[in-house]
Amino acid sequence: MRRFRATPFCVPFFGLPLFLSCGGDRTRSPTCGMAQLIGPSLIQDRLRHLPFVLTDAPRGLPGTLPVRVVGVTQQSAVSVGYTKGALTMEFQGAGFPATSISDSTAYAILVVDDSTQRAQGLLIYESRRPPEGYPSIGALTGADRTIPLYGVRVDWPNVSNPKCPLLGAPAGPPSSAL
C-alpha cells in the first residue's frame, strides 16, 4: 500500500477552495446559481396547479415591483397600474426579451407569497406560454411588445433563498386584497 504525503504546498493549495467558499460574495456561489435555476422552475410548475393560480388581478400592489428574466442575473423593475380591472405593468430599463418573443413564447408570472399575501415581483419566462384561455390577470409591456401576465401563489421561503434572493429586495407593503 502506498501512502501519499502532504507537502507544505498541497495543504494550502487544496484548502484554498474550501476557505474561499466560506466568505466573500455568496451570490456568485454554486448554491446561489442552483437556487436561481430551481426557484423559477418551481414557480413555473405552480401554473399547472389551478388552486395556486390567480384568476383576478390583485389590488393594492405597490407602484413598482422587481422583475427578472429567468436565467439572467440583471434585475429591473416594473411600474404597476390597472386598466379596466386588468393589471397593466410596464417594464422599466433595458433587458426586456423583445428579440426572442413570438406569439407563443414569453410570458410573465406575478409571484405572491401565499402566507403573507405579499407580491414578491415578476419573473419573465422565455418558453411556451400556457394554453389559450388560461386565466391571465393582465399584461406586461416592454420595448414594443406586450406579453401576457399570469399570477401564482407560492410558499416564498421555499423558492427563494434569503442569502441569494430570487427577486432582490422584498416588495413594498402587503397587498390589501388578493
Side-chain angles (χ1 to χ4, degrees):
M1 183 167 154
R2 185 174 194 181
R3 288 191 163 185
F4 292 100
R5 199 170 143 221
T7 64
F9 173 74
C10 289
V11 173
F13 182 71
F14 289 113
L16 184 62
L18 180 61
F19 173 73
L20 291 177
S21 68
C22 293
D25 184 10
R26 291 184 184 199
T27 60
R28 301 189 58 78
S29 72
T31 303
C32 281
M34 291 299 293
Q36 297 296 314
L37 295 173
I38 294 170
S41 250
L42 293 171
I43 292 167
Q44 186 180 36
D45 186 58
R46 286 294 194 172
L47 271 181
R48 296 184 325 160
H49 305 283
L50 288 178
F52 300 105
V53 175
L54 299 177
T55 56
D56 294 316
R59 298 288 177 202
L61 293 174
T64 61
L65 286 168
V67 62
R68 194 170 72 95
V69 177
V70 173
V72 177
T73 57
Q74 176 187 356
Q75 181 175 297
S76 295
V78 293
S79 60
V80 178
Y82 298 91
T83 304
K84 298 180 183 175
L87 192 56
T88 56
M89 298 191 173
E90 189 169 331
F91 193 90
Q92 307 293 310
F96 191 76
T99 57
S100 64
I101 296 175
S102 73
D103 289 340
S104 62
T105 61
Y107 59 95
I109 297 178
L110 173 66
V111 182
V112 177
D113 184 353
D114 64 358
S115 63
T116 64
Q117 301 307 307
R118 177 177 289 196
Q120 299 298 320
L122 278 80
L123 291 172
I124 299 174
Y125 293 85
E126 296 180 276
S127 63
R128 188 179 186 118
R129 291 180 184 165
E132 190 152 335
Y134 208 78
S136 172
I137 59 170
L140 172 63
T141 302
D144 62 346
R145 301 281 188 137
T146 299
I147 61 174
L149 174 63
Y150 304 97
V152 294
R153 289 184 187 88
V154 299
D155 184 7
W156 186 246
N158 286 336
V159 296
S160 181
N161 183 340
K163 293 180 182 173
C164 43
L166 190 56
L167 286 166
S175 302
S176 60
L178 284 180

